[in-house]
Amino acid sequence: MAMIKIGIVGVGTISELHLNAYRNNPDVQIHAVCDLNEARAKLTADKYGAAKIYTNYREMFAEAGIDAVSICTWNNTHEEIAVAAVQAGIDVLLEKPLTTTVESALRIEEAVNRSGQILQIGYVRRYDNNAQLVKQFTDLGEFGAFYYARASSIRRIGNPGGWFADRSRSGGGPVIDIGVHVVDLCWYLMGRPKVKSVSANTYYQLGNRSNVQHLAAYRAADYDATASSVEDMANALIRFEGGASLMLDASFTLHAKENKTTIQLYGDKGGVEVDPVLSFTTEKNNTILNTTPQTTHPGFHLDTAFQNEIDHFIECVQQRREPLSPVSDGVEIMRMLCGIYESAELGKEIVF
Ligand SMILES: NC(=O)c1ccc[n+]([C@@H]2O[C@H](COP(=O)([O-])OP(=O)(O)OC[C@H]3O[C@@H](n4cnc5c(N)ncnc54)[C@H](O)[C@@H]3O)[C@@H](O)[C@H]2O)c1
C-alpha cells in the first residue's frame, strides 16, 4: 500500500505527540509542516525529516501533495483550516475542540459531508486502551444502561497562557479545553444521547495564578501570562433525552489540594470508574464487588492513546472508513460546551 503523506498545521506543544506517533507508523511519511512561526516550522521539519516547510496553510494544501493533515492550531482557526483542507481533497485529523461555536461546527460538518473527505476529531480519551475496554464491557451489558455520569477535570495552576487564556482565540477556558475530553468520553460511553438541557456556572475568581512557583504545568508554545479572559472554573448539569444526566466540573485554577481527573459512570447493573484508576463495581449474590481489571496502565496513558488515535486515523484514510470520533459527534459536543457558557452567562438553564 502507498505511503500516506502527512502534513501538520501548527507545530506548537501538542503537535509533538502527533509527530512522534506518525513517526512510529510504518505507513506514514511526514512530508510537510506549516506554522505562522517560520523558525518553529523549520526546527520541526529538521527534527522529523519533513521535506517541505510553509507559513501559509493554503499554499501547503495546494502545493505539497499531502494526503492527510493534522491541524494543531488555536481553536478559532480550526474551521477555516479544516474546511480548506477537505475542499483541497485532504483528509483531516482535527485537534479538539472541533471549533468555538455551534454555527461554526455545523459549517465544518457541511463542508466535510459535501467533500466526502475524512475528518477525525482528536478526542484522544476515546482512543485509550482502558476507554475501549470499558466500551467493550458496556456494549456487552456489564453495567446496564448508564443513567448518571460524573466528569471532573481539576487543575490547580493549569492555565496554559497565551491564546488558551484569550477567549477570542480559544472560545473559553477549562470547559472547552479540558472539560471537552471528560464530557466527550462520558457521552460516548453513555451511547451518545441527544442533549436536552444545560445548567451551568462559570467563575472568574483567581485568574491564571501565574504567580505560583515550584510546580510544572502545560504551556502554550507562545506562553504569555498577561492574557486572562477565560473562566478559571465551571460546573454544569447536562440533561439528556431519555433521562440520563452528566455532572461536570473543570478548572484551570482552583484552591484544590491536587490536580485530579475523575470519570465515573453509573448504570442499573453496575458502575465504572475510568479515571483516575480503572475499576468496576457490580453486585452478585447480594454482595457488592469492586473489581480492578488488570491492564498495562491502571489509568489514562497519553502516549498509547495518541498512538492509537494516529494509527486509527491512518487506517481510516487507507480504508475510507468513518472514524471513531466523526465530525457529527463534534457538533453535539459543541452544543453542550456552548450551552454551558450560555447558561452561565444568562444565569438560567438552556433548553435545546
Ligand atoms: N488532545 C489533547 O490532549 C490536546 C492537548 C493540548 C492541546 N490540544 C489542542 O491542540 C491545539 C493546539 O494546542 P497547542 O497546545 O499545541 O498550542 P500551541 O500554542 O503550543 O501551538 C499552536 C501552534 O499553532 C500555530 N498557529 C496558529 N494559527 C496558525 C495558522 N493559521 N497557521 C499556521 N500555524 C498556526 C502557532 O504559531 C503555534 O505554533 C488546540 O486546538 C488545543 O485545544 C489538544
Side-chain angles (χ1 to χ4, degrees), residues 12-14 35 40 73 75 78 95-96 163-164 181 218 221:
T13 312
I14 205 63
D35 200 290
R40 193 173 293 150
T73 55
N75 302 342
H78 286 187
E95 261 304 347
K96 47 51 66 175
W163 70 268
F164 283 94
H181 282 303
Y218 187 94

Side-chain angles (χ1 to χ4, degrees), residues 90-152:
I90 295 165
D91 296 318
V92 173
L93 172 54
L94 177 57
E95 261 304 347
K96 47 51 66 175
L98 176 57
T99 179
T100 56
T101 67
V102 175
E103 296 71 31
S104 170
L106 289 166
R107 286 193 296 267
I108 299 175
E109 184 180 42
E110 200 206 339
V112 170
N113 290 344
R114 191 176 305 165
S115 70
Q117 297 302 132
I118 285 155
L119 186 142
Q120 176 176 324
I121 306 176
Y123 291 143
V124 68
R125 294 291 324 231
R126 294 191 189 191
Y127 295 89
D128 190 53
N129 289 347
N130 288 355
Q132 282 308 312
L133 182 145
V134 172
K135 179 79 171 108
Q136 191 191 358
F137 274 72
T138 302
D139 291 348
L140 290 169
E142 182 75 6
F143 313 109
F146 289 130
Y147 54 88
Y148 176 47
R150 290 174 63 191
S152 177

Side-chain angles (χ1 to χ4, degrees), residues 272-347:
V272 57
E273 211 165 294
V274 188
D275 269 45
V277 170
L278 183 64
S279 73
F280 297 168
T281 298
T282 48
E283 197 182 296
K284 197 171 179 185
N285 303 332
N286 302 320
T287 307
I288 291 174
L289 300 180
N290 286 345
T291 317
T292 310
Q294 299 300 290
T295 61
T296 308
H297 302 288
F300 173 61
H301 193 256
L302 189 69
D303 289 339
T304 308
F306 262 98
Q307 191 66 56
N308 292 345
E309 175 184 289
I310 295 286
D311 292 347
H312 177 77
F313 177 55
I314 295 302
E315 255 179 54
C316 290
V317 168
Q318 289 172 326
Q319 298 168 14
R320 311 313 298 161
R321 274 202 285 131
E322 179 170 86
L324 186 74
S325 46
V327 64
S328 51
D329 285 5
V331 174
E332 197 66 7
I333 293 289
M334 281 316 298
R335 273 198 190 99
M336 293 179 228
L337 303 178
C338 295
I340 289 172
Y341 288 120
E342 196 185 339
S343 164
E345 221 157 89
L346 298 176

Side-chain angles (χ1 to χ4, degrees), residues 37-266:
N37 182 323
E38 193 171 6
R40 193 173 293 150
K42 276 192 177 137
L43 270 177
T44 304
D46 286 349
K47 185 170 172 188
Y48 291 95
K52 304 203 168 179
I53 299 167
Y54 294 88
T55 53
N56 180 325
Y57 66 85
R58 289 186 192 276
E59 281 173 20
M60 177 165 106
F61 295 161
E63 296 169 5
I66 54 174
D67 303 299
V69 66
S70 270
I71 300 174
C72 305
T73 55
W74 313 328
N75 302 342
N76 69 321
T77 66
H78 286 187
E79 178 189 345
E80 56 173 282
I81 303 176
V83 169
V86 295
Q87 285 176 349
I90 295 165
D91 296 318
V92 173
L93 172 54
L94 177 57
E95 261 304 347
K96 47 51 66 175
L98 176 57
T99 179
T100 56
T101 67
V102 175
E103 296 71 31
S104 170
L106 289 166
R107 286 193 296 267
I108 299 175
E109 184 180 42
E110 200 206 339
V112 170
N113 290 344
R114 191 176 305 165
S115 70
Q117 297 302 132
I118 285 155
L119 186 142
Q120 176 176 324
I121 306 176
Y123 291 143
V124 68
R125 294 291 324 231
R126 294 191 189 191
Y127 295 89
D128 190 53
N129 289 347
N130 288 355
Q132 282 308 312
L133 182 145
V134 172
K135 179 79 171 108
Q136 191 191 358
F137 274 72
T138 302
D139 291 348
L140 290 169
E142 182 75 6
F143 313 109
F146 289 130
Y147 54 88
Y148 176 47
R150 290 174 63 191
S152 177
S153 190
I154 298 298
R155 288 182 183 170
R156 299 179 290 179
I157 53 152
N159 185 327
W163 70 268
F164 283 94
D166 168 8
R167 191 167 181 173
S168 67
R169 285 183 286 169
S170 60
V175 168
I176 202 163
D177 183 44
I178 50 177
V180 60
H181 282 303
V182 290
V183 167
D184 175 67
L185 185 56
C186 287
W187 178 72
Y188 167 68
L189 292 171
M190 291 169 99
R192 303 190 257 202
K194 215 168 157 28
V195 60
K196 204 170 90 177
S197 69
V198 175
S199 184
N201 302 283
T202 50
Y203 296 94
Y204 298 76
Q205 298 284 328
L206 306 183
N208 55 27
R209 296 186 88 190
S210 58
N211 59 305
V212 172
Q213 299 174 18
H214 314 300
L215 283 173
Y218 187 94
R219 289 188 165 186
D222 301 293
Y223 181 73
D224 164 18
T226 55
S228 191
S229 56
V230 298
E231 80 281 4
D232 38 65
M233 87 88 58
N235 57 33
L237 175 65
I238 303 173
R239 289 192 169 90
F240 299 105
E241 282 180 9
S245 58
L246 164 61
M247 262 181 30
L248 164 76
D249 59 11
S251 71
F252 273 169
T253 53
L254 189 70
H255 287 300
K257 190 177 161 197
E258 57 188 352
N259 294 340
K260 194 168 186 182
T261 302
T262 314
I263 298 174
Q264 297 157 325
L265 297 109
Y266 303 101

